[in-house]
Amino acid sequence: MMDSYHFETLAIHLGEEPDFFEGTGDVVAPIHLSSTFARERLDEFPKGYRYSRIANPTRDVLEKKLAALEGAKYALAFSSGMSAETAVLVALIRPGGHLIAFEDLYGGTKRVLDLFKKKYSIEISYVDATKVEEVVESFTPKTTLIWLESPTNPLLKLCDLEAIAREAHKHNIKVVVDNTFATPYFQNPLEFGVDIVVHSTTKYINGHSDCLGGAVVLSDDDLYEELSFIRKSTGGVLSPFDSYLTLRGLKTLAVRMRQHQENALKIADFLESHPKVAKVYYPGLKSHPQHELAKRQMRDFGGMLSFEIRGGAREAQRFVESLELFLLATSLGGVESLISIPAKMSHDYLPPEERKRLGIEENLIRVSVGIKNAEDLIGDLQRAFERI
Ligand SMILES: *Cc1c(COP(=O)(O)O)cnc(C)c1O
């Protein structure tokens, strides 16, 4: 029966059927705070639980839902997006090996990749993955992994997941996609042959900016075993309380994403026609270079956009500081709207010349469009443009 239910139903119902929890009739999964679980006999674990770092009933419910919503067999919830990414790198990186990564990536992902590079003599090719041939040309006999985002942070670039996965698999290379921006509501990378999906559940999946979390989602049995072992050994698990918060957020993901998307499209249109805006990056706009790919690969375009304000660093700073409804903060995906200057915030880790090469200029402004009233949001932007 579960198989035939839709996204919205699974997000709420799966794993939380009434009476699932010891016949109490709970309609939401209780927070199982217990760090350990008693056994009656030395070698028997009738409910499968022994210690909360290995498995926890509240976290299990979240993992079941995440797996189902990504169309996967398994999900593992971590204490943050970065701890999820680190576990995947531990599983797939070989000392002296080679990996390929999209050059437009979340700043923290580049930082952890560079950490592995230094410590374990990894070679990394950063490529423009919007061009499949550039990815393929970078293959070497030592390549074990391709790390992608689509859409990317902060330039909202897309790459052809199906084409890249097909080429990678000819050479036994695993493909990882950070699906944080699209969320499983708008895109399921495993459908296109991708091996592993990672999420920062801190963002849209939790959606209320009140808890960090990460997830790895996959269907490969051996990789799942390995990742479970890595998580159990290194310990970056999502706590029971944070599992509960994330579960609560996840239930409304579909309605939130629909509203994020509706507001983002209105704001993208507004920005594109504003004389003080030089360029807008949003996959839902016809002017976006991968708009056709977005229509094919995603169910819709999401709530993230970036734009270049006319002028430079000064204009960008004055603009973001004079807004009222858009809060100046890193992070994204919450119900409120957040605005940031990647060059000074999420991507300040990159050297200035590298940022310039990638197109992350000082007048680039990234917007996480929230679900407040769109007219109010546009009014706030309008007033801020008038003040600069
Ligand atoms: C925030 C983010 C991460 C890191 O997640 P944390 O939960 O902050 O550790 C990774 N990838 C993307 C695309 C992100 O936006």
Side-chain angles (χ1 to χ4, degrees), residues 132-204:
V132 179
E133 60 286 4
E134 227 181 88
V135 179
V136 175
E137 280 160 16
S138 307
F139 289 175
T140 77
K142 289 182 171 175
T143 313
T144 55
L145 168 63
I146 303 176
W147 193 285
L148 301 170
E149 285 177 20
S150 186
T152 60
N153 184 0
L155 291 169
L156 285 307
K157 292 179 186 173
L158 275 77
C159 55
D160 188 332
L161 300 178
E162 193 161 35
I164 294 174
R166 196 183 330 115
E167 293 301 322
H169 290 161
K170 289 182 192 164
H171 302 273
N172 221 1
I173 299 168
K174 300 284 188 206
V175 181
V176 179
V177 172
D178 182 337
N179 202 27
T180 300
F181 270 34
T183 81
Y185 185 63
F186 285 140
Q187 173 173 276
N188 291 126
L190 299 187
E191 245 176 56
F192 303 110
V194 164
D195 300 284
I196 296 181
V197 163
V198 298
H199 280 288
S200 168
T201 61
T202 311
K203 315 295 168 53
Y204 287 110

Side-chain angles (χ1 to χ4, degrees), residues 197-241:
V197 163
V198 298
H199 280 288
S200 168
T201 61
T202 311
K203 315 295 168 53
Y204 287 110
I205 287 179
N206 178 54
H208 295 75
S209 306
D210 53 9
C211 142
L212 295 179
V216 177
V217 193
L218 73 170
S219 289
D220 183 300
D221 300 319
D222 295 338
L223 261 176
Y224 171 70
E225 287 308 319
E226 185 168 7
L227 282 159
S228 301
F229 180 80
I230 291 168
R231 189 181 63 164
K232 162 171 102 175
S233 308
T234 57
V237 290
L238 194 64
S239 74
F241 188 73

